[in-house]
């Protein structure tokens, strides 16, 4: 079971909420904690300005801000997802231009506006996303309807807010390398996602194992000569 979507498939006009969570890489060995904090603080305002620039470019507006999360509202789903992608690309470029001991990574969650408190699901998705990931709710994914020019796929189901129902989570890929790796894994599995498909050959292996065990038992009771004679007759045909 899963939480029902509040958006209709293809309803790209649904307003959306984006939540971003800025994270810093773990301490680098040999770098003092106070120096690491100083580096992070010195770049923090620049990164916030970078994020706000992308939000403005996609007609978004800041709803709330805290040390952990920033919440933004967008007029439609496509703008929200495209902004999330550009945020990741801009921050990736920032890290390359400012090499050092600190690397900044963004975890992003995007959801359509619904009956939930504004931004609750988006915040949960951002918190559950790995650094550098963009997590989408099922409602947001359906609202995109395959539009937006961003490759998305189902990745996991999470328990949200103590509910027995699961929250289906989709990932939007902003780095072409991630898409190639994901597709390569599916191609190796014969067109099936190995993480989402059951092991279908187990039954055949079990039958073969039973036949071998029965043959061994029969050979211990009657000896190996009758088995050789039977096999020779089968192959002689």
């Amino acid at each position: 079971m899963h939480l029902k979507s509040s958006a209709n498939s293809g309803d790209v006009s649904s307003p959306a909420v984006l939540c971003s969570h800025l994270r810093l890489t773990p301490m680098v060995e040999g770098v003092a904690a106070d120096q690491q904090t100083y580096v992070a603080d010195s770049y923090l305002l620049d990164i916030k300005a970078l994020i706000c620039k992308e939000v403005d470019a996609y007609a978004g507006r800041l709803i709330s801000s805290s040390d952990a999360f920033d919440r933004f509202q967008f007029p439609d789903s496509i703008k929200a997802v495209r902004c999330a992608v550009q945020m990741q690309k801009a921050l990736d470029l920032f890290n390359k231009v400012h090499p050092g001991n600190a690397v900044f990574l963004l975890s992003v969650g995007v959801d359509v506006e619904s009956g939930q408190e504004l931004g609750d699901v988006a915040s949960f998705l951002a918190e559950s996303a790995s650094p550098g990931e963009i997590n989408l709710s099922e409602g947001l994914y359906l609202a995109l309807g395959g539009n937006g020019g961003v490759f998305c796929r189902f990745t996991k189901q999470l328990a949200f807010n103590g509910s027995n129902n699961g929250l289906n989570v989709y990932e939007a890929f902003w780095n072409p390398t991630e898409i190639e790796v994901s597709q390569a894994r599916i191609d190796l599995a014969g067109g099936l996602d190995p993480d989402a498909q059951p092991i279908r050959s187990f039954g055949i292996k079990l039958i073969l194992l039973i036949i071998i065990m029965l043959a061994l038992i029969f050979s211990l009771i009657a000896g190996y000569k009758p088995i050789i004679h039977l096999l020779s007759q089968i192959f002689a045909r």
Side-chain angles (χ1 to χ4, degrees):
M1 296 191 58
H2 59 273
L3 297 180
K4 292 183 178 179
S5 167
S6 59
N8 296 323
S9 179
D11 187 11
V12 296
S13 62
S14 300
V17 179
L18 183 153
C19 185
S20 63
H21 183 194
L22 186 63
R23 302 185 181 186
L24 188 65
T25 52
M27 292 291 183
V28 179
E29 187 176 354
V31 178
D34 56 348
Q35 183 181 352
Q36 185 85 357
T37 304
Y38 172 76
V39 172
D41 290 343
S42 64
Y43 287 146
L44 191 57
L45 291 177
D46 293 337
I47 294 174
K48 291 281 188 180
L50 195 69
I51 292 173
C52 288
K53 179 183 177 182
E54 299 298 339
V55 171
D56 290 341
Y58 288 91
R61 68 180 185 89
L62 180 66
I63 301 174
S64 62
S65 180
S66 66
D67 292 338
F69 297 100
D70 290 325
R71 293 182 183 181
F72 305 94
Q73 187 180 39
F74 292 84
D76 62 64
S77 303
I78 290 181
K79 283 186 172 63
V81 174
R82 286 179 175 173
C83 181
V85 169
Q86 288 305 123
M87 281 182 177
Q88 297 287 18
K89 290 182 177 180
L91 189 56
D92 184 54
L93 180 61
F94 182 91
N95 286 322
K96 291 176 181 177
V97 175
H98 300 82
N101 297 316
V103 176
F104 297 89
L105 298 170
L106 204 60
S107 301
V108 180
V110 192
D111 181 38
V112 292
E113 289 189 16
S114 62
Q116 301 281 346
E117 185 176 342
L118 192 62
D120 271 5
V121 174
S123 299
F124 174 76
L125 291 172
E127 188 174 6
S128 61
S130 298
E133 281 186 356
I134 302 172
N135 278 350
L136 311 178
S137 68
E138 186 172 45
L140 193 287
Y141 174 78
L142 293 175
L144 287 175
N147 300 305
V150 179
F151 178 76
C152 307
R153 66 184 290 264
F154 172 79
T155 53
K156 54 195 169 187
Q157 189 177 82
L158 300 173
F160 172 67
N161 204 20
S163 173
N164 292 327
N165 295 328
L167 178 67
N168 288 339
V169 180
Y170 295 75
E171 183 178 351
F173 294 86
W174 60 273
N175 187 340
T177 305
E178 293 180 314
I179 301 175
E180 292 170 4
V181 171
S182 178
Q183 188 59 48
R185 291 176 63 252
I186 295 175
D187 291 340
L188 286 173
L192 301 175
D193 186 347
D195 290 338
Q197 299 296 328
I199 301 174
R200 303 179 188 277
S201 61
F202 178 74
I204 298 175
K205 292 179 180 178
L206 182 60
I207 293 173
L208 291 175
L209 181 61
I210 292 173
I211 293 174
I212 293 172
M213 292 294 293
L214 290 175
L216 289 173
I217 293 172
F218 182 75
S219 65
L220 290 174
I221 296 174
Y224 65 89
K225 290 184 178 180
I227 295 178
I228 295 176
H229 178 68
L230 177 62
L231 291 174
S232 62
Q233 287 183 333
I234 293 174
F235 288 107
R237 295 176 185 176

